[in-house]
Amino acid sequence: MVETYAEALQFIHGRDRFKKKPTLDRMRQFMHILGDPQAKLNTIHVAGTNGKGSTVAFLRDLFMAEGQTVGTFTSPFITRFNERISTDGVPISDDDLVAMVKRIQPVVDRLDRELAEEGPTEFEIDTALMFCYFASHPVDVVIVEVGLGGLYDSTNIITPAVSVITTIGLDHMKILGDTIPQIATQKAGIIKSGVPVVCGRLTPDALAVMDQTAASKQTDVRALGRDFTVKNQPKAETWGERFAYTWGDHRWQHLEIDLLGQYQIDNAATALTAFITYHQQRHLPIEIADIRQGLRQTAWPGRFERLTTEPLIAIDGAHNEPAMVELAQLLRQHFSQHDVYIVLAVLADKQYDQMVRTLLKVPNVHIVVTQFQGPGKRAAATPQALEDAVTSQKRISMASDWPSALKQVLTNVSADDLVLLTGSLYFISEVRQYFKDAD
């Protein structure tokens, strides 16, 4: 039996990540034995290729600004596992995590015996811990982030108040399919009968899948760019964004966020629409002052996050090709007058060749490709593989490990330049910890 925090983590991380056949039957059985804790929760469900974490953070802070208590379930964590299960942004305590593991461990043992090779996976256990925790430590609303896909994700046994789908792009193609409509179909799997759906900026073919799925479930979709809109309102300071928001009678100017990038405006607007939808369903009033405060105070670690200001060093968790396209756009918009030095490390199962090429399309970018310790059994792409991904070797060099790459970059930068470490959330988690320890 698990007794310590270290043993609890060992128990969680020691499980298989995937099973051969995707199914929700095992998760339903698991939760049923535990008394269906998820049925006691008031939830909002968030899926999407990119932007899930930031959208969850905006939603959390919108609810908190009006005095509600908010549970969140997110992945991956940046510094410690506990971050994945948080209340009002505060991670679950070590003692509570151990208590929850002790509660579910006998059920996991029983399912292992009954289902042989098909016992619960690591993420199913994470999800079970979260459901049990919030059922026994009640909050006003729990914002649940999908782990992977949607249709067969272990979180998909809930019936939420609102379903949110942020973006659809090509990622996890071995599991979810290799076309946008195929991936959209997996994400649309979270749409439930009669539950309203809010979508971020989707391509027409992805949005068509959402509309068809919603119609078959007797519900409707509110989509960014079609039903609600945003307009960027540039401001003098370099950090943060300002925008106008319009949806029906809701027309607000000069909403501000402290995160950078057009995609963060999109995430904020998607969260805001989900927030309003939730309030409309429950006939609850909304205050624009709360909305302004909630959006302005939202921070999300590892999303174009400043670590130091002189020199300006930032980290960003862009870990797939759609995210790199957004990142390249951000660099063009905010840093076209600066030299940008990127330390890039990517997991080997990503489209790293395309990611490198996308970054090199920004003319003032210089890249040092390197590697980091990949999580568990997942390997990082070698610097050589990353360098081989491009034909022209101009503006790209190589370092054996990321601290060497950073040292190499810092000898070249001037006070006006930007140093950016990116390519994987696991990588920037390592970087962030390194800077924290150095303080």
Side-chain angles (χ1 to χ4, degrees):
M1 179 56 100
V2 160
E3 295 297 338
T4 66
Y5 177 72
E7 287 169 352
L9 287 190
Q10 207 174 349
F11 170 74
I12 294 164
H13 297 318
R15 306 293 301 187
D16 290 341
R17 288 185 71 232
F18 298 110
K19 296 291 182 190
K20 288 189 189 74
K21 201 175 99 219
T23 175
L24 286 178
D25 295 344
R26 177 176 53 243
M27 190 64 194
R28 288 201 178 97
Q29 187 182 349
F30 190 5
M31 290 301 95
H32 194 62
I33 299 167
L34 285 163
D36 285 319
Q38 77 283 0
K40 302 185 177 99
L41 310 181
N42 181 21
T43 56
I44 294 176
H45 206 186
V46 182
T49 303
N50 293 319
K52 296 190 292 289
S54 300
T55 301
V56 168
F58 282 121
L59 266 168
R60 174 197 67 203
D61 288 351
L62 284 164
F63 280 107
M64 282 175 65
E66 63 173 17
Q68 304 234 36
T69 53
V70 190
T72 50
F73 180 59
T74 53
S75 57
F77 59 91
I78 299 291
T79 311
R80 293 186 89 222
F81 176 86
N82 306 45
E83 295 160 32
R84 300 182 71 163
I85 302 168
S86 294
T87 303
D88 289 350
V90 178
I92 183 174
S93 71
D94 293 359
D95 288 350
D96 282 337
L97 184 66
V98 170
M100 290 301 127
V101 169
K102 278 179 157 175
R103 184 174 160 198
I104 70 162
Q105 192 181 12
V107 181
V108 173
D109 292 346
R110 172 179 157 183
L111 289 171
D112 282 346
R113 285 193 304 274
E114 289 177 9
L115 302 172
E117 296 292 296
E118 293 299 309
T121 65
E122 179 177 346
F123 191 71
E124 285 168 344
I125 285 169
D126 297 343
T127 308
L129 291 169
M130 177 268 299
F131 286 148
C132 290
Y133 179 69
F134 289 123
S136 57
H137 297 73
V139 292
D140 295 316
V141 59
V142 183
I143 305 162
V144 177
E145 182 188 323
V146 164
L148 176 63
L151 183 61
Y152 294 112
D153 189 76
S154 60
T155 61
N156 201 27
I157 59 169
I158 55 175
T159 301
V162 185
S163 301
V164 182
I165 293 150
T166 56
T167 59
I168 305 287
L170 296 172
D171 195 18
H172 300 293
M173 296 186 297
K174 286 188 178 123
I175 301 166
L176 302 178
D178 51 15
T179 69
I180 292 291
Q182 281 175 338
I183 293 172
T185 301
Q186 289 290 324
K187 310 278 186 199
I190 72 163
I191 297 175
K192 304 291 192 310
S193 198
V195 174
V197 184
V198 176
C199 291
R201 201 177 292 280
L202 303 188
T203 56
D205 52 349
L207 185 53
V209 172
M210 299 305 154
D211 284 332
Q212 285 157 8
T213 310
S216 74
K217 305 272 186 183
Q218 284 78 49
T219 187
D220 56 351
V221 172
R222 303 133 171 82
L224 175 56
R226 179 184 73 187
D227 307 302
F228 62 99
T229 58
V230 289
K231 186 167 184 288
N232 195 340
Q233 297 176 315
K235 55 187 209 163
E237 312 89 86
T238 53
W239 212 265
E241 303 285 0
R242 186 166 58 195
F243 63 98
Y245 171 91
T246 307
W247 180 34
D249 296 337
H250 302 292
R251 292 163 182 270
W252 295 309
Q253 297 287 323
H254 304 300
L255 296 174
E256 295 196 357
I257 57 175
D258 195 43
L259 298 173
L260 267 187
Q262 174 64 44
Y263 57 95
Q264 294 295 12
I265 294 178
D266 290 355
N267 293 335
T270 303
L272 180 51
T273 306
F275 176 78
I276 297 167
T277 301
Y278 178 94
H279 283 66
Q280 286 172 340
Q281 276 183 301
R282 284 167 166 64
H283 308 291
L284 298 170
I286 52 173
E287 299 288 342
I288 181 57
D290 293 341
I291 286 169
R292 288 187 187 282
Q293 182 197 331
L295 292 177
R296 204 168 31 235
Q297 72 191 20
T298 300
W300 191 233
R303 288 11 177 237
F304 218 92
E305 178 188 5
R306 274 179 293 195
L307 296 182
T308 66
T309 46
E310 287 183 8
L312 179 54
I313 300 178
I315 51 175
D316 189 86
H319 59 285
N320 52 32
E321 170 57 11
M324 280 302 163
V325 170
E326 300 283 15
L327 185 58
Q329 181 56 35
L330 184 159
L331 294 173
R332 285 189 192 96
Q333 191 181 334
H334 287 276
F335 296 98
S336 60
Q337 304 307 309
H338 309 254
D339 270 321
V340 178
Y341 291 87
I342 295 179
V343 176
L344 182 72
V346 185
L347 285 172
D349 57 3
K350 299 292 180 179
Q351 294 175 289
Y352 53 79
D353 49 346
Q354 196 55 50
M355 291 163 75
V356 174
R357 285 199 289 270
T358 296
L359 288 174
L360 284 172
K361 283 179 190 161
V362 184
N364 52 325
V365 153
H366 313 267
I367 300 177
V368 183
V369 291
T370 187
Q371 62 190 348
F372 68 106
Q373 186 68 51
K377 296 171 186 159
R378 297 176 75 189
T382 63
Q384 191 63 58
L386 291 172
E387 193 175 47
D388 291 347
V390 286
T391 43
S392 158
Q393 298 302 316
K394 270 191 245 159
R395 295 189 289 129
I396 185 163
S397 59
M398 200 162 67
S400 57
D401 57 74
W402 74 260
S404 311
L406 182 60
K407 212 171 280 178
Q408 186 180 318
V409 162
L410 290 174
T411 57
N412 292 322
V413 297
S414 69
D416 295 337
D417 297 339
L418 166 69
V419 177
L420 175 64
L421 297 99
T422 188
S424 159
L425 280 163
Y426 296 103
F427 168 45
I428 62 151
S429 163
E430 208 173 291
V431 175
R432 198 166 186 271
Q433 192 58 47
Y434 173 87
F435 273 82
K436 239 181 163 178
D437 293 345
D439 279 353

